Amino acid sequence: MCWLLNLGIITVVLYFLSFISKHVNYICKMFLYSCCYLILAVVHMIYCPFFPKNRDNTYTLAPLFYHLSRLCLGITIEAEGTEHLESYEGGYILSPNHQSSLDTMCIARIWPHRAIILMKKSLMYVPFFGWAAYLSGHEFITRKSGASSEVRDHMNIINERIKKERLRVCVFPEGTRNKAFDGKMLPFKKGGFHMAQQCQAPVVPVVIYIPPSLYDGKNWVFNSGVIKMKVLEPVSTVGLKPEDVTELTNSVQTKMQETLDELSKRA
């Protein structure tokens, strides 16, 4: 309990330090957010060994991360269309855009049943975070050159789980964060859409809009406020062939960009 008391004292001190300047505020808020990650990882490592690699471990603990981050950062997330997450009983590909590290908090706000994240294998070795993700049943894929057959075999296993276990797999189609903070999405990668086509599973797009006045890493902005997000209707892939994946990818990106523009106008 001693470390919790110390963390509480540090939190209070950082809160008052954050009023000194925007640079100090940014550093303090990032430190607090990192502490939320750390607490979540520790809780995962205590809880998950009782239910090792259970696909609902994150569903159980995601609300803890969201509410802890909300209280520490003063950020509220308004989510629309969450009914689409459970409107389809089978497996699907959850497809959110990727703006910043705050996306994790946003996804935690709406995390569905039987869902995992597909992430690069190097993250598995990140202390605490990687260990917690492994225990929670998330999947790690190799991106090294020459590992294509290994990746294909792994992806085939995940595809079977989507069909048989009705697994929901979260794939960030941009592949990385858009560090330009220009309100535009990076070109979508096709990996998640190939998975959807191969499984004949729908794609569920999720659009996250973080106002620049709330967070802008380039300009050291990190304030309290409201993040808006919207879950769009599932996009069917039934009957689609491999040659249709490019059109599917482009149409989903167009729809998501239009929604992002709409959310920014309403902010």
Side-chain angles (χ1 to χ4, degrees), residues 133-154:
Y134 175 80
L135 288 170
S136 297
H138 298 295
E139 291 285 351
F140 300 87
I141 59 170
T142 304
R143 288 185 177 178
K144 291 186 290 188
S145 58
S148 57
S149 61
E150 178 187 345
V151 172
R152 275 197 302 272
D153 291 342
H154 192 176

Side-chain angles (χ1 to χ4, degrees), residues 126-192:
V126 176
F128 299 106
F129 172 80
W131 308 334
Y134 175 80
L135 288 170
S136 297
H138 298 295
E139 291 285 351
F140 300 87
I141 59 170
T142 304
R143 288 185 177 178
K144 291 186 290 188
S145 58
S148 57
S149 61
E150 178 187 345
V151 172
R152 275 197 302 272
D153 291 342
H154 192 176
M155 295 305 296
N156 287 336
I157 293 172
I158 297 172
N159 288 345
E160 285 301 310
R161 291 186 65 195
I162 292 173
K163 291 184 280 189
K164 292 181 179 179
E165 300 177 28
R166 298 182 299 156
L167 195 68
R168 285 83 182 264
V169 180
C170 180
V171 182
F172 290 93
E174 292 167 281
T176 188
R177 300 171 194 166
N178 184 359
K179 298 178 181 178
F181 299 99
D182 57 1
K184 301 297 180 185
M185 297 182 189
L186 298 174
F188 280 11
K189 299 182 185 300
K190 299 177 186 177

Side-chain angles (χ1 to χ4, degrees), residues 98-140:
H98 204 3
Q99 289 194 303
S100 74
S101 58
L102 291 178
D103 295 339
T104 310
M105 178 185 176
C106 297
I107 297 301
R109 165 71 172 78
I110 62 162
W111 195 253
H113 283 284
R114 306 190 312 275
I116 63 168
I117 301 176
L118 199 63
M119 56 186 80
K120 57 185 180 182
K121 194 169 185 177
S122 59
L123 291 175
M124 186 167 65
Y125 306 106
V126 176
F128 299 106
F129 172 80
W131 308 334
Y134 175 80
L135 288 170
S136 297
H138 298 295
E139 291 285 351
F140 300 87

